Amino acid sequence: GWGADYSHIYRTNDGGQTWTQQPLPGSNNWGVNSLAILDTAEIWAVVSNGKAFHSTNGGQSWTETVVDSNASFRKIRKAMSL
C-alpha cells in the first residue's frame, strides 16, 4: 500500500504495520497532493508547484516532470485504457 502526507510518500508491504519513506528528488517539502498507483511498480505523484513525479520501480527512484510551474495540482487519477 501507499500513503502520503504533505511532504513525504510512504510505502507499506505488510498491511500497514510498518511504513518506509519513499523520498522524492530535491526538497523534502514538495506538498504532495495526490498519488496514482498504476501497479506495484508504477506510481505518479503530483505536488503543489506544478510538478509531477513518476516512478517505474516501486518508488526506489523518481523522475521529475514540470507540467506547469504556475499550476497547483490537487489530484491525479488513473485513466482506463480502451
Side-chain angles (χ1 to χ4, degrees), residues 4-10 21-24 27-32:
D5 63 15
Y6 185 74
S7 57
H8 300 95
I9 296 173
Y10 300 92
Q21 184 179 335
Q22 305 292 306
L24 295 173
S27 171
N28 286 336
N29 193 20
W30 283 116
V32 178

Side-chain angles (χ1 to χ4, degrees), residues 39-53:
D39 56 37
T40 58
E42 189 170 8
I43 305 103
W44 283 89
V46 293
V47 298
S48 59
N49 62 353
K51 294 182 181 183
F53 292 90

Side-chain angles (χ1 to χ4, degrees), residues 1-2 10 12 15 21-22 25 33-34 43 47 54 60 63 67 73-74 76-77 79:
W2 292 87
Y10 300 92
T12 182
Q21 184 179 335
Q22 305 292 306
N33 289 329
S34 184
I43 305 103
V47 298
H54 182 227
Q60 297 300 311
T63 301
V67 179
F73 296 107
R74 297 285 175 226
I76 187 170
R77 297 180 80 177

Side-chain angles (χ1 to χ4, degrees), residues 1-2 11 13 17 22 25-26 30 33-34 42 44 54 56-59 61-62 64 66-67 70 73-74 78-79 81:
W2 292 87
R11 183 175 188 177
N13 292 316
Q17 295 294 315
Q22 305 292 306
W30 283 116
N33 289 329
S34 184
E42 189 170 8
W44 283 89
H54 182 227
T56 57
N57 59 8
S61 62
W62 297 86
E64 179 182 327
V66 177
V67 179
N70 294 316
F73 296 107
R74 297 285 175 226
K78 177 181 176 180
S81 61

